């Protein structure tokens, strides 16, 4: 069985776009692959974080993974900082990475632009990401378009390591989402939906109040034509809503166009709000139960133990290959 690794930062609640593009698909992947799902809290601190808020977000994201359908009997869910091999292997990856290639990373350029002081960790984020992936002999990494460049660097670093120190690391392949890779903003449908958008009406999260979800969908920007038709270029707003409905309502876009032929945007949005609420209501119920129970900690303890066992073996091979430590007589 092939291995999949994925990491999500605990920096605020994920959006509907993250749910469709990642978490919903993770639930399906766990039945076909050996899956490691990591809450990458060490990546989160490449930019300043409030200590208490970060702790809350870590636990919240873990609960959400389980609430959406990740089965801890099938997949390994764990927190990055609870597996020391990640930081240790991250340093080894830094030692074979070049400053020039790190400075060319688009995300580093974007996050450091116009800032007087930037942490060194923002620059060395990609080698740590490479370590996260390579520690588990990962075959496939499901990523969005915005992480393709980091994944290409991960492959380069793994190949460089193997060429220099022996065939130790598995070279991972990129797995782009089949659907929902780009769910767009409800208020600016030419921009990707983002949890950092200051306009709270622009995005939906799985933990939004159901009435709030209805309001956001009903106030979503469309156009004046009033025809429910998919046309991404000329009708980006309604096309985005059709994509969401199609994925969550399990209907094709042509089926939806036929269903709403002769009906206005009001009917369409009202029904879409019911579909989204119907998906998120049971998720929210399970999430809040988990947040109040010790079950979540038990799951994370077991996940850390399993991840530690696998990651420490890969780390030891890497250290031996590089000549670190002692060999006892």
């Amino acid at each position: 069985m092939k291995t999949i690794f994925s990491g999500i930062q605990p920096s605020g609640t994920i959006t509907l776009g993250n749910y469709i593009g990642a978490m919903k698909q993770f639930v399906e992947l766990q039945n076909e692959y050996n899956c490691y799902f990591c809450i990458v809290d060490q990546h989160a601190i490449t930019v300043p974080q409030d200590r208490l808020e970060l702790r809350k977000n870590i636990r919240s994201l873990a609960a959400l993974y389980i609430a959406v359908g990740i089965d801890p009997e099938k997949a390994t869910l764990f927190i990055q900082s609870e597996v020391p091999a990640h930081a240790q292997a991250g340093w080894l990856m830094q030692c074979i990475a070049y400053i020039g290639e790190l400075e060319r990373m688009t995300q580093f350029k974007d996050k450091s632009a116009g800032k007087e002081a930037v942490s060194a960790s923002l620059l060395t984020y990609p080698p740590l990401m490479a370590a996260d992936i390579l520690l588990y002999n990962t075959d496939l990494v499901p990523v969005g378009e915005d992480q393709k460049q980091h994944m290409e660097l991960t492959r380069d670093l793994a190949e460089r390591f193997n060429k220099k120190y022996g065939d130790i690391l598995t070279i991972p392949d990129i797995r782009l989402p089949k659907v929902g890779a780009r769910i767009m903003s409800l208020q600016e449908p030419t921009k990707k939906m983002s949890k950092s958008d200051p306009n709270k009406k622009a995005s939906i999260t799985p933990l939004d109040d159901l009435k709030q979800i209805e309001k956001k969908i009903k106030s979503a920007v469309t156009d004046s034509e009033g025809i429910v038709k998919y046309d991404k270029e000329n009708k980006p707003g309604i096309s985005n809503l059709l994509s969401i409905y199609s994925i969550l309502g399990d209907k094709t876009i042509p089926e939806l166009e036929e269903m709403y032929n002769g009906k206005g945007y009001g009917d369409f949005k009202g029904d879409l709000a019911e579909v989204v609420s119907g998906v998120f209501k049971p998720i929210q119920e399970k999430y809040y139960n988990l947040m109040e129970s010790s079950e979540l900690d038990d799951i994370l303890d077991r996940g850390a133990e399993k991840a530690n066992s696998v990651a420490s073996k890969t780390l030891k091979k890497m250290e031996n290959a590089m000549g670190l430590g002692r060999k006892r007589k």
Side-chain angles (χ1 to χ4, degrees):
M1 187 182 285
K2 289 191 172 182
T3 295
I4 275 184
F5 178 94
S6 179
I8 297 182
Q9 283 196 40
S11 51
T13 307
I14 68 163
T15 68
L16 172 66
N18 301 135
Y19 169 73
I20 288 173
M23 282 188 154
K24 185 175 185 293
Q25 294 183 50
F26 292 169
V27 175
E28 296 158 14
L29 292 173
Q30 70 182 341
N31 297 314
E32 304 167 42
Y33 297 93
N34 176 31
C35 292
Y36 289 88
F37 298 124
C38 181
I39 296 162
V40 289
D41 54 343
Q42 288 170 326
H43 286 300
I45 59 170
T46 56
V47 295
Q49 298 284 346
D50 177 88
R51 176 176 63 91
L52 297 178
E53 192 69 18
L54 179 59
R55 283 256 167 85
K56 176 185 159 194
N57 286 341
I58 290 167
R59 189 174 176 82
S60 175
L61 182 55
L64 203 49
Y65 262 111
I66 304 300
V68 300
I70 296 301
D71 182 348
E73 297 301 318
K74 294 179 181 176
T76 305
L77 175 65
F78 67 102
I79 299 167
Q80 182 187 29
S81 62
E82 294 182 358
V83 180
H86 284 256
Q88 292 169 279
W91 173 252
L92 304 187
M93 288 291 104
Q94 282 184 57
C95 291
I96 63 165
Y98 306 136
I99 288 177
E101 62 191 350
L102 299 182
E103 288 176 335
R104 286 194 292 274
M105 292 293 109
T106 305
Q107 286 204 15
F108 172 72
K109 289 178 182 176
D110 291 346
K111 290 185 178 180
S112 61
K115 293 197 174 135
E116 288 182 21
V118 177
S119 75
S121 63
L122 198 59
L123 182 67
T124 58
Y125 173 117
L128 178 58
M129 178 178 165
D132 298 336
I133 294 161
L134 298 171
L135 282 168
Y136 299 94
N137 305 306
T138 301
D139 298 295
L140 294 167
V141 183
V143 292
E145 290 284 346
D146 59 339
Q147 288 292 340
K148 270 183 76 177
Q149 190 187 29
H150 283 166
M151 272 306 303
E152 284 158 8
L153 179 64
T154 295
R155 288 173 54 84
D156 289 345
L157 292 176
E159 287 168 356
R160 192 177 301 161
F161 186 97
N162 285 350
K163 189 174 179 181
K164 193 167 185 180
Y165 299 110
D167 197 15
I168 305 285
L169 303 173
T170 301
I171 312 298
D173 285 322
I174 298 167
R175 187 186 192 278
L176 292 171
K178 292 176 185 174
V179 292
R182 286 185 72 82
I183 296 298
M184 313 307 278
S185 161
L186 299 182
Q187 293 299 310
E188 293 180 74
T190 54
K191 277 174 45 181
K192 188 177 176 183
M193 186 180 286
S194 169
K195 59 187 172 186
S196 59
D197 196 318
N199 184 350
K200 298 304 175 189
K201 290 167 70 177
S203 62
I204 291 171
T205 83
L207 300 178
D208 278 346
D209 177 85
L210 300 183
K211 286 286 182 191
Q212 200 177 13
I213 288 173
E214 184 181 4
K215 282 181 185 175
K216 286 181 179 182
I217 290 172
K218 287 186 173 178
S219 66
V221 169
T222 47
D223 56 72
S224 57
E225 195 176 39
I227 298 170
V228 179
K229 181 176 172 58
Y230 190 90
D231 182 348
K232 196 171 179 180
E233 191 174 327
N234 298 308
K235 296 163 70 70
I238 196 67
S239 298
N240 185 44
L241 296 180
L242 274 164
S243 294
I244 294 168
Y245 199 144
S246 173
I247 294 161
L248 298 185
D250 199 23
K251 292 185 185 297
T252 66
I253 285 173
E255 282 174 343
L256 291 171
E257 288 175 336
E258 180 61 31
M259 275 173 62
Y260 292 95
N261 185 22
K263 296 182 180 178
Y265 291 161
D267 289 338
F268 174 82
K269 286 180 174 182
D271 291 347
L272 174 57
E274 283 187 25
V275 167
V276 176
S277 296
V279 170
F280 286 156
K281 186 178 180 183
I283 289 173
Q284 290 181 12
E285 287 170 358
K286 188 162 186 183
Y287 168 86
Y288 288 114
N289 285 335
L290 280 164
M291 288 294 283
E292 298 301 319
S293 76
S294 61
E295 181 189 356
L296 183 60
D297 292 307
D298 293 339
I299 290 167
L300 291 171
D301 286 345
R302 292 197 303 272
E305 187 179 347
K306 184 179 174 186
N308 258 307
S309 174
V310 175
S312 59
K313 285 174 187 169
T314 307
L315 175 65
K316 194 65 185 170
K317 287 180 186 176
M318 293 170 71
E319 289 176 333
N320 285 340
M322 295 179 84
L324 296 175
R326 290 179 290 157
K327 274 207 167 182
R328 294 188 180 273
K329 299 290 186 187

